[in-house]
Amino acid sequence: CCVCGRRGAAVDCCKPRCERSFHLPCALRGLCLTQYFGDCRAFCSRHRPRQAVDRDPEPETHCLLCLEAVGQRKSYRTMVCPACQHAWFHRSCIQAHALHAGSSAFTCMLCRDKELFQAEMLRMGIHIPVRPPSWETLEAFEGLTETHGRCDAAQCLCPEGREHAEEEGPWQLLVCRSCAAEGTHRSCSSLTDSTESWECQGC
């Protein structure tokens, strides 16, 4: 391994005639780069792609994700959006953001460019999972799909308890039509079978 010097380096630099190899866990420490698309090519620190940006960060430029300084010049650990060339961030920060945002929401945080931004990030070794963002998973909205399921009357008359509900009759559970946060059995609020909706006392 060209980074740690130990045996078992299975990742070869794809540059023709380059004989350097490294362990995948050593890539980040050795400033090597692995592309996670197409043929999944890998490059040693000498032959890795560089961003074609003809500028360095302005003085006191901060990473848009962690808000820490990005340094005075572009480097392996400091990257910039290729579209606006004003959004700077650390490699580790943008990688973590890409894993959460997924391919559908991973854009430049400043100019919101997506196509050019993602293409450049992939070329520079950022792994972008092909999926919706983690904050839009079914688990995140699981609580919003549940309806209120108990009788909140001051005195519940149901012999089976407040959580018991039937599809019709005196123990049918009605949910407040305004807030949907409270419910009642028909009998517990003296509602007739013809009553189709109910509103809690708070509403």
Side-chain angles (χ1 to χ4, degrees):
C1 175
C2 63
V3 180
C4 70
R6 297 179 181 178
R7 294 180 178 272
V11 183
D12 299 325
C13 178
C14 70
K15 181 74 173 180
R17 293 186 295 277
C18 180
E19 299 180 354
R20 303 184 91 198
S21 300
F22 52 91
H23 300 108
L24 188 58
C26 294
L28 186 63
R29 183 161 55 90
L31 310 185
C32 304
L33 189 149
T34 302
Q35 295 176 336
Y36 297 92
F37 71 98
D39 296 332
C40 293
R41 300 187 304 169
F43 300 87
C44 68
S45 58
R46 295 175 185 171
H47 303 121
R48 70 173 189 268
R50 265 75 169 178
Q51 285 197 277
V53 179
D54 57 356
R55 59 183 300 177
D56 288 324
E58 297 290 336
E60 299 185 9
T61 298
H62 295 84
C63 171
L64 292 182
L65 291 162
C66 72
L67 304 181
E68 296 291 335
V70 295
Q72 298 180 349
R73 64 184 61 185
K74 61 181 183 289
S75 66
Y76 175 80
R77 294 185 173 88
T78 300
M79 305 172 69
V80 65
C81 170
C84 66
Q85 298 191 13
H86 289 290
W88 291 86
F89 31 77
H90 300 116
R91 172 179 289 273
S92 57
C93 295
I94 200 64
Q95 178 60 86
H97 177 56
L99 294 177
H100 282 291
S103 56
S104 63
F106 186 55
T107 63
C108 171
M109 292 75 67
L110 193 62
C111 69
R112 298 300 178 189
D113 179 84
K114 182 176 182 180
E115 185 174 351
L116 184 61
F117 181 74
Q118 286 197 14
E120 177 75 346
M121 293 302 105
L122 285 170
R123 189 180 74 86
M124 295 303 297
I126 301 300
H127 173 52
I128 309 171
V130 182
R131 58 164 176 75
S134 60
W135 55 85
E136 291 185 4
T137 58
L138 291 177
E139 291 78 9
F141 293 93
E142 185 176 1
L144 299 179
T145 60
E146 297 178 358
T147 58
H148 191 74
R150 59 173 282 129
C151 175
D152 297 295
Q155 183 179 2
C156 180
L157 305 174
C158 181
E160 300 293 330
R162 292 184 179 273
E163 282 76 23
H164 179 74
E166 299 178 359
E167 293 188 9
E168 57 182 18
W171 309 124
Q172 182 181 3
L173 192 67
L174 297 181
V175 177
C176 176
R177 65 187 177 194
S178 296
C179 68
E182 290 198 22
T184 182
H185 293 117
R186 288 186 181 275
S187 288
C188 299
S189 294
S190 302
L191 303 176
T192 64
D193 290 341
S194 60
T195 303
E196 296 183 357
S197 62
W198 165 81
E199 196 168 55
C200 70
Q201 188 174 4
C203 293

